Amino acid sequence: MTAAGFVLLLLLGVPIGLVLCLAAVLFIVETGNPLLFDSYAMRLFGSLDNFGLLAIPLFILIGELMNGAGITTRLVRLASIFVGAFRGGLAHINLLANMMVASILGSATAQIAMMSQIMVPEMQRAGYDRAMATGITAYGGLLGPIIPPSIVFVVYAVLAQVAVRDMLIAGIVPGLLLGGLFMGTVAALGWRHGFPRGEVPAPGARGTALRQALPMLAIPLVIIGTILGGFGSPTEAAAIGALVALGLGLFHTRSLRLADLPAILLRTGVNTALVLFLVAAAGVFSWVLIYGQIPQMVAVSVQAVAGTPAGFMLLVLALLLVVGTVIDGIPGLIMVVPILLPIATGVYGIDPLHFGVVASITLILGLLSPPVGIGLYVAASVSGVSPLRVFTVALPFFAVACAALVLLAVFPWLSLALL
């Protein structure tokens, strides 16, 4: 009854947070143990009793402040200094700017929407196919939830009960790997399709771009430096980063006004509430799964198929690619982590950080995969292109992302190298 109710609620379009809460209620009714209702509210609110979750509203606030401060445009100009003169220069600028923005924003959907507005019109004016420009921008946005700070990684760390700091550090090498592979893909496509060469920036323009953009790099440097140097927790690093972003917006770019802050804080609060409700619902859902010994039953079935840790990780990769095409990244994590993580760590001895990196990136890739593909639809909507057309022309990036995931699944040291 629980499984049927869960699927029916999803098909009816009920928000995933409510689906998880209602599925837990159905499970309690099905087991005939009403005493579990006495602990329901405690489990719901107790899931939010975690200091690491404070990083989520602060990371969201940094992104809102960055948008208001006009930081993104300056980072795009900075990227043009390094890769603007190559064949496909604007495409390289797009990806490099996405990597810079990813180290501040931490949200794929927000990053895709923002960068599509900035980069797609510029690339089309330079002679790029609009669908290709949209696809490159969308896959560049995929780096948002991988390169620290990352809201997805924070949520996983809370679900898996691992250090948020370690989870964020584990995402650095995979993020750089994906960014490098995407730039290599742009170079190959540029040679094959004859992408236009970028313009060589004039010496004066380079100096101006450097002066305008270098202060903006203080935000990721403060966040990552505080975490890697052990000077503070990710939450404290995010708080300092928010103060730096606020100062830059008010006193350096002067694009931010104190009158803008109420609206920024309201948007931050609404977006934070959405994420934290999912985390609370996940706590109840995980609780009933463990009570019903669901992970143990799944483990028996999985062991019959995957005999080695690498085989298990590849099986997880295939499964989550399918799940990610219909469910967004954070809800997907909330659904699968309580079931698959105990099997990964208890049966196969897989490091929870390694498992988290592979599971998170695989589900994030679903943002750009039909039939749901929220990131794909956001990019297509902003750019005025068919989502299917965007997915088709950007298939080389999808293939490269899948290849990178296979490498990450088979070689744990790629995720654990900096720990």
Side-chain angles (χ1 to χ4, degrees):
M1 183 177 75
T2 303
F6 185 89
V7 173
L8 178 62
L9 290 169
L10 280 179
L11 292 176
L12 291 174
V14 177
I16 187 66
L18 290 177
V19 171
L20 295 172
C21 291
L22 292 173
V25 171
L26 288 173
F27 182 85
I28 294 172
V29 172
E30 187 176 3
T31 57
N33 188 357
L35 291 176
L36 291 175
F37 283 118
D38 294 339
S39 302
Y40 189 94
M42 182 182 69
R43 292 286 179 176
L44 189 67
F45 289 98
S47 304
L48 301 179
D49 186 17
N50 189 299
F51 178 71
L53 288 175
L54 284 175
I56 291 177
L58 292 168
F59 284 151
I60 294 174
L61 177 59
I62 289 173
E64 293 289 347
L65 290 170
M66 188 186 79
N67 287 341
I71 290 173
T72 308
T73 304
R74 288 167 170 80
L75 291 178
V76 170
R77 291 186 193 133
L78 180 63
S80 68
I81 294 174
F82 297 104
V83 292
F86 298 158
R87 177 173 292 282
L90 264 179
H92 287 292
I93 290 169
N94 192 339
L95 289 174
L96 188 58
N98 263 299
M99 292 179 70
M100 293 178 182
V101 173
S103 66
I104 303 172
L105 197 55
S107 168
T109 306
Q111 184 166 324
I112 289 170
M114 181 173 57
M115 296 300 288
S116 294
Q117 291 175 330
I118 296 171
M119 294 303 305
V120 172
E122 288 292 329
M123 292 180 70
Q124 188 178 22
R125 279 193 290 270
Y128 290 84
D129 175 74
R130 191 171 184 83
M132 177 62 78
T134 304
I136 292 171
T137 305
Y139 277 90
L142 184 68
L143 303 171
I146 303 171
I147 298 177
S150 167
I151 295 171
V152 174
F153 281 0
V154 172
V155 171
Y156 173 82
V158 172
L159 293 173
Q161 298 183 344
V162 297
V164 174
R165 171 187 177 275
D166 292 345
M167 194 64 216
L168 293 177
I169 292 173
I172 294 176
V173 172
L176 295 175
L177 173 66
L178 267 176
L181 289 174
F182 285 166
M183 294 192 80
T185 304
V186 165
L189 290 175
W191 175 79
R192 180 179 177 183
H193 296 291
F195 285 172
R197 288 189 178 274
E199 296 181 3
V200 179
R206 289 177 176 175
T208 301
L210 276 171
R211 284 194 303 272
Q212 289 181 341
L214 280 179
M216 311 306 162
L217 297 180
I219 302 174
L221 288 177
V222 164
I223 295 172
I224 297 173
T226 300
I227 296 171
L228 289 179
F231 301 113
S233 67
T235 301
E236 292 159 344
I240 297 171
L243 286 175
V244 173
L246 178 62
L248 287 172
L250 290 174
F251 306 114
H252 181 69
T253 67
R254 299 184 185 277
S255 300
L256 197 63
R257 300 172 302 162
L258 290 176
D260 299 328
L261 291 182
I264 287 174
L265 292 174
L266 178 61
R267 289 195 299 271
T268 300
V270 170
N271 291 328
T272 300
L274 292 173
V275 175
L276 293 185
F277 178 66
L278 286 172
V279 174
V284 173
F285 188 64
S286 303
W287 168 57
V288 297
L289 285 178
I290 293 170
Y291 180 84
Q293 296 187 325
I294 303 299
Q296 291 89 330
M297 290 187 283
V298 174
V300 174
S301 301
V302 168
Q303 282 182 280
V305 179
T308 65
F312 171 76
M313 290 300 289
L314 291 175
L315 182 64
V316 167
L317 180 61
L319 172 66
L320 296 191
L321 269 178
V322 175
V323 171
T325 61
V326 294
I327 299 176
D328 198 0
I330 291 177
L333 274 181
I334 287 169
M335 286 177 55
V336 302
V337 166
I339 299 173
L340 296 179
L341 181 62
I343 303 171
T345 56
V347 177
Y348 293 98
I350 294 169
D351 190 291
L353 298 173
H354 173 219
F355 177 84
V357 167
V358 174
S360 299
I361 297 176
T362 305
L363 287 168
I364 291 165
L365 184 58
L367 289 172
L368 301 176
S369 306
V372 177
I374 296 172
L376 190 67
Y377 282 93
V378 167
S381 175
V382 172
S383 305
V385 187
S386 161
L388 185 59
R389 167 82 174 138
V390 175
F391 178 75
T392 303
V393 300
L395 270 177
F397 293 94
F398 182 81
V400 165
C402 289
L405 280 169
V406 171
L407 290 175
L408 291 170
V410 174
F411 300 109
W413 58 267
L414 287 170
S415 304
L416 307 177
L418 298 180
L419 296 169

